[in-house]
């Protein structure tokens, strides 16, 4: 399915979200440094965890609201509210006021707005794209996100520390403008039947609506198949989230200065810190170049074996990293790591849309994001593990967790294939 054949709402989102994500990633990677400088590392870490908890709650609310009030309405509200939050963040770092605590509050609100946005955006794709093309479309959105992840921090490294007030103002404007564009140039994709169904239920009031929301999320987690999907995702997250945690620590401590090439009568060298920069750039470049290609290749195979092999390759990469400090072997390990990532990047979102009833798509996408939320909360334990067991055993445990997630996926698909609707 070519982009020119997409629904107009998706085309508008693809372009608009690239600019919004790029501006967001000019700020996000440097917030940990900013808050650590202002509050101290321990307090900053605690505050960021608190912020994450609020984002989880907002994500679940966002999924519920996307199924009840409509996809476009939630996208517009979340975008404009995020713009207002970044405007408040800018004011907290302005020539008139310096308030780190107000800045943290604004950042937390902005994160909650992003969590409100995400379920509706995923559900909109499932609404308008035929099932056989969904993996492809999700992969293209993932590619543009990763392009933003590559471009944003490069610009942010200069702008955030030297022109923070101006940068935050620009981010606020971009988010708000995206909201206006979504309001003017997109249409509602939630079916009229679902809208009318909600209108008949408004008489229960807000208390009843909240109670109903909890009951519906309870039904989701009582779905054994979906619960296995969450468990497998949490296990797998312990591996791929080490890209920002264990891997840079390992490279910094274990790789000294080494020559990687001799060209033009000059020796090219790397250190632990610069080698991580190269590996991160490798990951971003491979994602930007090959996400769509690999996704289109993977849809030719049975999903359960794609998920299993992705998990197995994550494990292989984890086993390779601590075996040597040779830079080029690290490059090969990162290539395997990235290939494992790209194998399932489109298939995961498409599979969620298969599991979710039409009237609960937003909630399913919101609940599925808990794979990353819970995984992100557990993953940092790998750092103290290195002090207890060393790098080798820590990487080995992570590799085994990745492979274990593959077996959970196999069990999940065994149940999925027995479903009458399959």
């Amino acid at each position: 399915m070519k982009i020119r054949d997409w629904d107009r709402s998706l085309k508008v989102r693809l372009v608009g979200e690239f600019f919004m994500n790029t501006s967001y990633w000019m700020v996000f990677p440097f917030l940990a440094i900013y808050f650590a400088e202002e509050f101290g590392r321990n307090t900053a870490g605690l505050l960021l965890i608190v912020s994450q908890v609020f984002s989880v709650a907002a994500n679940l609310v966002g999924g519920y609201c996307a199924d009840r009030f409509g996809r476009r309405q939630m996208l517009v509200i979340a975008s404009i509210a995020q713009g207002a939050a970044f405007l408040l963040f800018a004011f907290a770092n302005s020539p008139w006021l310096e308030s780190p605590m107000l800045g943290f509050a604004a950042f937390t609100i902005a994160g909650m707005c992003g969590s409100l946005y995400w379920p509706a955006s995923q559900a909109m794709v499932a609404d308008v794209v035929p099932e056989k093309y969904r993996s492809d479309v999700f992969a293209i959105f993932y590619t543009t996100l990763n392009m933003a992840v590559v471009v944003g921090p490069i610009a942010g490294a200069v702008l955030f520390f030297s022109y923070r007030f101006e940068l935050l103002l620009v981010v606020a404007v971009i988010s708000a403008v995206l909201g206006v564009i979504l309001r003017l140039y997109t249409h509602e994709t939630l079916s009229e039947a679902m809208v009318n169904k909600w209108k008949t239920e408004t008489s229960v009031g807000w208390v009843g609506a909240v109670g109903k929301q909890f009951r519906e999320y309870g039904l989701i987690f009582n779905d054994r198949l979906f619960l296995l999907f969450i468990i497998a995702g949490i296990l797998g997250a312990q591996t791929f989230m080490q890209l920002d945690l264990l891997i840079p620590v390992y490279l910094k401590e274990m790789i000294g200065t080494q020559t990687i090439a001799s060209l033009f009568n000059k020796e090219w060298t790397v250190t632990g810190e610069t080698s991580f920069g190269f590996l991160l750039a490798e990951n971003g470049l491979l994602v930007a170049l090959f996400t769509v290609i690999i996704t289109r290749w993977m849809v030719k195979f049975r999903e359960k074996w794609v998920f299993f092999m992705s998990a197995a390759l994550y494990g292989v990469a984890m086993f390779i990293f601590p075996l040597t400090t040779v830079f080029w072997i690290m490059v090969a390990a990162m290539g395997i790591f990235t290939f494992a990532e790209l194998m399932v990047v489109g298939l995961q979102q498409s599979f969620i849309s298969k599991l979710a009833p039409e009237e609960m798509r937003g909630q399913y996408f919101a609940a599925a994001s808990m794979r990353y939320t819970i995984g992100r909360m557990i993953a940092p334990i790998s750092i103290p593990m290195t002090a207890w067991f060393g790098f080798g055993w820590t990487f080995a445990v992570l590799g085994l967790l990745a492979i274990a997630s593959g077996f959970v996926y196999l069990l999940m698909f065994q149940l999925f294939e027995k479903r009458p609707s399959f």
Side-chain angles (χ1 to χ4, degrees):
M1 187 177 186
K2 297 180 179 179
I3 293 179
R4 67 168 177 265
D5 300 321
W6 287 13
D7 184 278
R8 187 179 73 170
S9 296
L10 298 186
K11 295 178 184 177
V12 171
R13 279 186 45 213
L14 184 68
V15 177
E17 288 178 13
F18 171 74
F19 287 103
M20 185 179 74
N21 288 329
T22 300
S23 63
Y24 182 82
W25 280 91
M26 289 181 186
V27 174
F28 178 72
F30 310 103
L31 290 177
I33 299 173
Y34 167 69
F35 290 129
E37 289 177 347
E38 297 293 344
F39 300 113
R41 281 185 293 178
N42 292 336
T43 302
L46 179 62
L47 289 174
L48 291 173
I49 291 173
V50 170
S51 175
Q52 186 65 34
V53 170
F54 278 103
S55 292
V56 172
N59 194 274
L60 296 177
V61 171
Y64 182 82
C65 292
D67 288 335
R68 298 300 179 266
F69 303 116
R71 323 302 195 202
R72 184 181 72 159
Q73 187 166 343
M74 290 309 301
L75 297 180
V76 171
I77 291 172
S79 298
I80 293 176
Q82 188 175 67
F86 274 111
L87 184 63
L88 182 62
F89 201 171
F91 179 66
N93 288 269
S94 67
W96 310 284
L97 178 68
E98 283 286 339
S99 175
M101 187 53 71
L102 180 61
F104 169 75
F107 162 69
T108 301
I109 296 170
M112 293 173 65
C113 292
S115 295
L116 288 173
Y117 187 100
W118 192 84
S121 70
Q122 304 298 294
M124 178 178 279
V125 174
D127 289 341
V128 300
V129 178
E131 183 179 310
K132 65 179 180 179
Y133 298 120
R134 285 176 192 162
S135 296
D136 203 20
V137 174
F138 281 124
I140 292 173
F141 272 97
Y142 188 78
T143 299
T144 59
L145 170 61
N146 276 273
M147 290 169 63
V149 172
V150 172
V151 174
I154 294 174
V158 176
L159 298 176
F160 184 82
F161 295 103
S162 300
Y163 304 97
R164 186 177 304 149
F165 172 64
E166 293 82 356
L167 174 60
L168 292 170
L169 277 181
V170 170
V171 176
V173 171
I174 290 174
S175 296
V177 168
L178 175 63
V180 174
I181 290 174
L182 291 172
R183 178 67 181 83
L184 296 176
Y185 296 104
T186 64
H187 62 89
E188 182 53 62
T189 62
L190 183 65
S191 68
E192 192 66 28
M194 293 299 102
V195 174
N196 291 334
K197 180 176 179 291
W198 168 248
K199 288 179 180 178
T200 63
E201 298 176 356
T202 55
S203 59
V204 300
W206 280 104
V207 175
V210 171
K212 186 174 187 296
Q213 179 179 357
F214 278 106
R215 289 194 298 273
E216 290 187 357
Y217 275 116
L219 290 175
I220 292 175
F221 288 109
N222 283 330
D223 182 340
R224 284 195 303 161
L225 199 159
F226 186 71
L227 186 59
L228 287 173
F229 182 73
I230 297 292
I231 293 171
I234 292 171
L235 292 173
Q238 302 313 302
T239 299
F240 63 76
M241 287 186 176
Q242 302 307 322
L243 183 61
D244 299 320
L245 295 168
L246 182 61
I247 292 176
V249 173
Y250 174 73
L251 294 174
K252 181 179 180 181
E253 293 192 13
M254 303 303 292
I255 291 187
T257 302
Q258 61 179 268
T259 301
I260 60 173
S262 297
L263 296 173
F264 310 112
N265 296 320
K266 181 179 179 180
E267 289 190 342
W268 299 81
T269 62
V270 294
T271 63
E273 291 87 347
T274 57
S275 63
F276 175 65
F278 282 119
L279 294 181
L280 199 60
E282 176 194 0
N283 176 263
L285 182 62
L286 292 176
V287 168
L289 293 177
F290 297 111
T291 297
V292 175
I293 295 172
I294 292 177
T295 297
R296 289 176 178 174
W297 181 28
M298 289 299 114
V299 295
K300 298 177 182 178
F301 303 99
R302 293 186 68 181
E303 282 180 312
K304 70 176 182 180
W305 296 117
V306 175
F307 276 79
F308 178 78
M309 287 306 301
S310 171
L313 288 176
Y314 269 128
V316 169
M318 287 293 103
F319 292 141
I320 292 175
F321 274 114
L323 293 180
T324 179
T325 58
V326 177
F327 173 76
W328 290 113
I329 295 180
M330 298 291 179
V331 170
M334 182 55 68
I336 296 171
F337 185 97
T338 306
F339 183 67
E341 175 187 353
L342 298 184
M343 286 178 72
V344 295
V345 67
L347 296 181
Q348 290 184 83
Q349 307 305 93
S350 180
F351 184 73
I352 297 168
S353 67
K354 291 180 185 178
L355 296 180
E358 180 185 354
E359 69 275 11
M360 296 181 71
R361 277 178 180 159
Q363 288 169 275
Y364 265 77
F365 278 111
S369 70
M370 295 182 71
R371 296 169 295 157
Y372 306 119
T373 304
I374 297 174
R376 190 178 298 116
M377 294 176 70
I378 300 173
I381 199 173
S382 63
I383 304 302
M385 278 180 64
T386 60
W388 306 331
F389 307 113
F391 283 109
W393 283 108
T394 302
F395 273 105
V397 169
L398 293 168
L400 291 173
L401 287 176
I403 294 172
S405 75
F407 284 103
V408 177
Y409 279 127
L410 289 181
L411 177 59
M412 178 193 72
F413 276 102
Q414 186 176 358
L415 293 177
F416 181 62
E417 290 167 355
K418 290 180 180 178
R419 277 194 169 188
S421 59
F422 179 71

